[in-house]
Amino acid sequence: MRMIDKPDETDVVRALLDALLTELENGLRGSDGMGRHRAGIVLSGGKTSGLLFDTWVREYASRTPWEHLHFFWADERCVPPTHADSNYGQAAARLFSHVPVPPGHIHRIRGEADPRAEAVRYGSLVSRWFPLRNGVPVFDILLLGIGTDGHTASVFPEHAARIFRETAPYAVSVHPQTGQRRITVTGRPLLAARHTWFLVTGDEKRDILHRIQTDGNASGLPAVRVLSRSFDGRLFASSGR
């Protein structure tokens, strides 16, 4: 694990975006059959993602090769795209509506659909789009957050064992407190990505950041399990320390 710690949350977002654009400049993956290279970026939701999108639009839009990027999601709440809880809805309002991403490059999880059927459909989609390693889709850049309980995507500690045992790329999850159903990426794709970067900001995340850094028993938390076992696991954090 590599940790990039900045005192200011905007500075840590800038550090992630600088790393992302450098990675894209160093070599986009594959070809679309017309000599144009492409890369798939997997997004998450939450307050920190909103800060990421705002900074991306304000400071990095002109440097980003939007025509070569495709966007996917690590997880989605089972709500319509117009709902305030929709991860896609947040990205559409705060990122895609301000930048020239081709509409066909946005591959959302249909939160309004039947959850189990949609998990199957979306897993099939990512398996066709990304290269496979031992049958597992290998994401190019996977952007994740960490909850105050150590969850990531919608892999909560209460259900992590089941989600990590799943053989399908996506599965249905349930928020342990609210009961809200979600569709989430599962363990094998989480661990197979080429670049797995966590962005963590906000005063409410300081305790979990401290636990990740100092508590040996934190290794069982979903976020720590992914971060510690990823090929290129990086933690971009504003710990305020």
Side-chain angles (χ1 to χ4, degrees):
M1 178 191 80
R2 177 184 173 192
M3 182 169 181
I4 299 89
D5 190 359
K6 303 283 184 181
D8 181 79
E9 63 182 13
T10 303
D11 285 340
V12 79
V13 171
R14 290 178 180 133
L16 185 149
L17 287 167
D18 284 333
L20 187 150
L21 291 177
T22 297
E23 182 60 36
L24 295 176
E25 290 164 1
N26 285 342
L28 293 166
R29 175 187 64 80
S31 174
D32 61 5
M34 300 178 65
R36 295 189 299 262
H37 294 279
R38 66 183 189 175
I41 297 176
V42 182
L43 302 173
S44 299
K47 185 189 301 182
T48 302
S49 290
L51 177 61
L52 170 69
F53 300 151
D54 292 346
T55 307
W56 204 339
V57 169
R58 186 174 62 248
E59 301 182 26
Y60 291 84
S62 63
R63 291 176 50 193
T64 304
W66 300 108
E67 70 276 15
H68 298 307
L69 302 183
H70 287 248
F71 291 90
F72 299 81
W73 274 263
D75 67 325
E76 181 59 278
R77 287 81 178 266
C78 292
V79 296
T82 54
H83 194 284
D85 288 347
S86 171
N87 290 342
Y88 162 78
Q90 177 179 233
R94 299 176 73 166
L95 180 63
F96 301 137
S97 64
H98 303 286
V99 297
V101 179
H105 289 199
I106 300 170
H107 310 278
R108 74 177 182 94
I109 299 174
R110 298 170 184 167
E112 72 277 20
D114 174 78
R116 293 189 183 279
E118 179 61 9
V120 172
R121 185 198 72 84
Y122 203 72
S124 177
L125 171 67
V126 300
S127 295
R128 293 193 306 271
W129 202 92
F130 290 98
L132 301 179
R133 182 185 302 139
N134 298 321
V136 179
V138 179
F139 300 139
D140 295 316
I141 298 176
L142 173 58
L143 302 180
L144 296 169
I146 299 177
T148 55
D149 61 352
H151 83 266
T152 193
S154 286
V155 184
F156 299 97
E158 292 85 346
H159 310 129
R162 175 180 65 83
I163 298 296
F164 275 99
R165 285 197 305 269
E166 284 278 357
T167 57
Y170 281 77
V172 178
S173 176
V174 179
H175 191 288
Q177 276 76 53
T178 67
Q180 182 188 60
R181 291 189 298 176
R182 303 183 177 194
I183 296 165
T184 185
V185 65
T186 59
R188 296 201 299 168
L190 279 171
L191 297 176
R194 292 174 60 199
H195 306 284
T196 306
W197 300 348
F198 288 80
L199 178 62
V200 183
T201 66
D203 292 344
E204 71 277 11
K205 301 295 178 68
R206 289 181 181 176
D207 288 345
I208 191 64
L209 281 173
H210 181 68
R211 184 179 174 191
I212 288 170
Q213 295 175 74
T214 62
D215 184 356
N217 294 323
S219 60
L221 295 175
V224 179
R225 182 172 178 177
V226 174
L227 183 57
S228 63
R229 295 175 60 184
S230 296
F231 176 73
D232 175 28
R234 304 186 206 181
L235 176 56
F236 293 83
S238 175
S239 66
R241 300 181 189 279

